[in-house]
Amino acid sequence: FGQMERKNIALRVTDNLMGLAKKGFWVAGNPPVGYVRSEIVVNGRKHVTIVPDPEGAAYMEWLYDYFLDNGVSLHSVEAQFRKKGIKTRQGNFFSTVQLYQLLTSPFCCEATAEVYDFYLRKGCQMASPREDWDGTHGVMVYGRTTERNKKHEKQPPECWTVCLGMHKPILSAQKWLSVQERLRHNTFNKQ
C-alpha cells in the first residue's frame, strides 16, 4: 500500500506540473541560456515564467548566426572555437554535446505554424491547436529526457509534449528551423 501511495503521489505531481506547463508556465528548474526566471501572479496565484536576458539573448543569436553563416559541422565549430579561444559563459571550452544542446534548444524559438508542423512530423504530442501558434510566444518541450538510475536518458519524440510558453522568443522560427535542417543534414550513422 505504501508503494502504491508513492506512485499515486508521483502521478498527481507529474499531472499538476504538466497542467502548468500546458498553460505556458515554467516548471523545469533552471532556465535555458538566454532567459532568466521571473515570478508572475495569475488569478491571485504565484507562478514562474522565463523572460529574455538581453546579454544571453545576444549570445544565443550570435551562436546561431555563426553556425549558419559559416556552413560548418558541430565538430568544426568546436575546433574553431578552441582555436579562437571562444568559451562558454562559464569559461570552459565548448564540446559538441553542449553546442548541439544549445542549437536544438526549442525554448528560444518563435511558436509558428512551421514549428508546430516540425514537431508534429516528429510524432510529438501537441498540447495546443495549430491556430494558436502565431509567433508571439516561445516553445516549450517537456519529456525529452527521463531520469533513470540518476542518468538522463533521451526519450523518443512520441514521449515529448510540446506546449506554447508564456515567454517571448529570442530567435525567429526561420533561423531556428534552418539550424535544425543543417544539423539533420550533417548527421551521419556512426555504425
Side-chain angles (χ1 to χ4, degrees):
F1 284 116
Q3 183 179 0
M4 185 179 73
E5 186 62 26
R6 282 190 296 276
K7 284 183 180 179
N8 285 340
I9 291 170
L11 284 173
R12 281 198 304 268
V13 169
T14 302
D15 288 345
N16 183 41
L17 290 177
M18 191 52 67
L20 290 171
K22 287 178 180 178
K23 292 178 183 176
F25 299 116
W26 181 254
V27 296
N30 291 331
V33 175
Y35 290 93
V36 293
R37 293 167 56 107
S38 176
E39 285 192 4
I40 58 172
V41 177
V42 177
N43 297 330
R45 300 183 84 181
K46 286 185 181 179
H47 295 286
V48 176
T49 188
I50 52 177
V51 294
D53 165 37
E55 185 179 314
Y59 178 79
M60 288 296 281
E61 186 88 34
W62 171 81
L63 184 62
Y64 275 73
D65 287 339
Y66 187 93
F67 184 74
L68 285 174
D69 294 344
N70 291 297
V72 292
S73 67
L74 289 176
H75 289 288
S76 298
V77 172
E78 178 191 15
Q80 290 174 13
F81 282 4
R82 281 187 186 273
K83 189 175 182 180
K84 294 178 181 181
I86 299 173
K87 297 184 178 182
T88 64
R89 295 182 75 189
Q90 289 77 26
N92 303 317
F93 283 111
F94 281 96
S95 70
T96 54
V97 172
Q98 288 170 316
L99 289 169
Y100 182 80
Q101 288 174 342
L102 288 172
L103 292 172
T104 58
S105 175
F107 304 103
C108 57
C109 172
E110 288 176 322
T112 63
E114 294 80 17
V115 176
Y116 182 95
D117 294 340
F118 172 83
Y119 281 110
L120 193 62
R121 281 191 302 273
K122 281 183 166 284
C124 301
Q125 302 170 29
M126 307 306 287
S128 56
R130 189 174 190 266
E131 304 84 56
D132 294 347
W133 289 60
D134 57 6
T136 58
H137 300 282
V139 177
M140 298 174 72
V141 180
Y142 292 99
R144 294 197 311 171
T145 62
T146 186
E147 189 175 330
R148 288 200 178 105
N149 300 326
K150 299 194 178 190
K151 292 183 179 178
H152 287 280
E153 295 179 5
K154 195 170 184 180
Q155 293 282 82
E158 299 82 41
C159 297
W160 303 359
T161 301
V162 183
C163 311
L164 285 173
M166 293 184 84
H167 63 284
K168 293 189 185 305
I170 295 173
L171 300 171
S172 70
Q174 180 185 6
K175 184 181 288 188
W176 189 84
L177 288 169
S178 297
V179 168
Q180 306 319 302
E181 179 60 26
R182 171 80 54 79
L183 289 170
R184 187 189 68 74
H185 180 69
N186 286 350
T187 57
F188 63 94
N189 188 342
K190 293 179 181 179
Q191 293 177 344

